[in-house]
Amino acid sequence: MNSNVNSFGEFIAKKREEKEITLREMAKKLDITPPYLSDIEKDRRNPPEKSKLDLIAQILNLSEDEKRYMYDLAGKKRNEVSPDLPDYIMERDYVRMALRKAMDVNAGEKEWLKFVEELEKRGE
Amino acid sequence: MNSNVNSFGEFIAKKREEKEITLREMAKKLDITPPYLSDIEKDRRNPPEKSKLDLIAQILNLSEDEKRYMYDLAGKKRNEVSPDLPDYIMERDYVRMALRKAMDVNAGEKEWLKFVEELEKRGE
DNA sequence: ATTTAAGTAAGCTTTTTAGCGTACAAGCAA
DNA sequence: TTGCTTGTACGCTAAAAAGCTTACTTAAAT
């Protein structure tokens, strides 16, 4: 999807530079110190929590797809589920049931894409 | 599904008592101290990590359903996704895509159950 | 040459999380 | 009664995670 970037830090650093925003500026908007942001961009620290990620997306004017990509990179770095997903999953028993069923029968891309197609038919 | 228990600590405490295992015995098998296990059962501490949860399930002889219920309680307590799910989710882009699509179109129980049915048809 | 701006190295401080040791109260057993 | 067993209160230690301060380097701008 997006260029040759594969880590959270690289990704936001690159986007920031594209927008010609300085690290210090961005740190200020995020209400963190420049060195701390620097560490994050260098992947030496964990990506921040969801609210700040949202703020980053806003500051960097990310598209919906880019934002999700960023969530995925953040999730992977933290060894957690991408932070836009947990609420949806944990508030719905049937979602977890379905995920487990999918694990059980070893559902792969084919099955899941079919599910998405079904949703597309119904979605408004 | 399972009686009137709604927290991780209560759940494993009850199961433990049903099996007439003492807290100290169980702590020993888990390789933690009794006071620490006590705190967990009283919901004053976080549920342990996945490997210990699996051990608990084994010690308490939980059924597959009970085990998942335990994972859910653990996930909720920690404000995380139930610990049997993250790997499956994070290793598969299409799963996350599907989850997001479902969020977008506000898919509810009906749609998800239909998905499960589909899987049941195909599952070996 | 000098200032200014950008990013970062180095090393704190603080907070949270995990986990232990000791000691005690209640119940039951001898 | 004495003595064991069970669970737990209380408080400590240790490690990880979050986040800051200070000070330095490099490059450009004056």
Side-chain angles (χ1 to χ4, degrees):
Chain A
M1 169 256 196
N2 208 358
S3 55
N4 48 349
V5 195
N6 42 9
S7 80
F8 179 81
E10 279 180 60
F11 179 77
I12 67 169
K14 190 176 165 221
K15 286 296 170 188
R16 178 177 63 73
E17 281 153 26
E18 277 175 23
K19 295 271 166 203
E20 309 195 37
I21 298 173
T22 94
L23 186 148
R24 288 178 136 91
E25 261 183 88
M26 176 133 169
K28 183 155 216 172
K29 292 192 196 188
L30 288 173
D31 196 35
I32 62 180
T33 59
Y36 188 38
L37 177 54
S38 174
D39 279 351
I40 291 172
E41 287 194 351
K42 292 297 181 195
D43 293 306
R44 284 190 278 258
R45 295 312 190 93
N46 281 339
E49 47 161 42
K50 177 149 192 308
S51 67
K52 297 243 189 245
L53 292 182
D54 291 341
L55 196 47
I56 290 174
Q58 195 184 312
I59 294 168
L60 298 181
N61 239 275
L62 301 186
S63 72
E64 213 52 33
D65 272 3
E66 290 170 328
K67 193 166 161 183
R68 286 164 168 179
Y69 186 61
M70 178 191 70
Y71 286 142
D72 282 348
L73 292 174
K76 280 169 182 167
K77 177 90 215 258
R78 308 195 65 129
N79 271 303
E80 284 169 16
V81 173
S82 311
D84 55 329
L85 300 177
D87 285 353
Y88 183 75
I89 295 169
M90 293 310 286
E91 281 164 9
R92 292 165 179 81
D93 291 11
Y94 49 85
V95 171
R96 297 194 301 285
M97 306 234 83
L99 282 165
R100 284 165 177 149
K101 182 72 187 174
M103 288 179 66
D104 279 355
V105 307
N106 231 301
E109 184 157 22
K110 188 165 36 66
E111 287 85 351
W112 281 97
L113 286 187
K114 196 157 178 214
F115 173 53
V116 169
E117 274 172 41
E118 283 305 314
L119 292 180
E120 258 154 10
K121 282 182 201 163
R122 308 167 173 261
E124 337 96 318
Chain B
M1 168 255 193
N2 208 357
S3 55
N4 47 350
V5 194
N6 41 10
S7 82
F8 179 81
E10 279 180 60
F11 180 77
I12 66 168
K14 190 174 165 222
K15 287 295 171 189
R16 177 176 64 72
E17 281 154 24
E18 277 175 23
K19 296 270 166 203
E20 309 195 39
I21 298 173
T22 96
L23 186 147
R24 286 176 135 92
E25 262 182 87
M26 175 132 170
K28 184 155 215 170
K29 293 192 194 188
L30 289 173
D31 196 35
I32 62 179
T33 59
Y36 187 38
L37 177 54
S38 174
D39 279 351
I40 291 172
E41 287 194 351
K42 291 299 180 193
D43 294 304
R44 285 190 275 261
R45 295 311 190 93
N46 280 340
E49 48 162 40
K50 177 147 190 311
S51 67
K52 296 241 188 249
L53 292 182
D54 291 342
L55 196 48
I56 290 174
Q58 196 184 312
I59 295 168
L60 298 182
N61 239 276
L62 300 187
S63 72
E64 213 52 34
D65 271 4
E66 289 169 330
K67 194 167 160 182
R68 285 165 168 180
Y69 185 62
M70 179 191 70
Y71 285 142
D72 282 347
L73 293 174
K76 280 170 183 169
K77 176 90 216 259
R78 307 194 66 129
N79 271 302
E80 284 168 15
V81 172
S82 311
D84 54 330
L85 300 177
D87 285 354
Y88 183 76
I89 295 169
M90 292 311 286
E91 281 163 9
R92 293 165 179 80
D93 291 11
Y94 49 85
V95 172
R96 297 194 300 285
M97 304 235 83
L99 282 165
R100 285 164 177 149
K101 183 71 187 175
M103 288 178 66
D104 279 355
V105 307
N106 231 301
E109 185 156 22
K110 189 166 33 68
E111 287 85 353
W112 281 98
L113 286 186
K114 196 156 178 216
F115 174 52
V116 170
E117 275 172 40
E118 284 304 314
L119 292 179
E120 258 153 11
K121 281 181 202 162
R122 305 164 175 262
E124 337 97 320

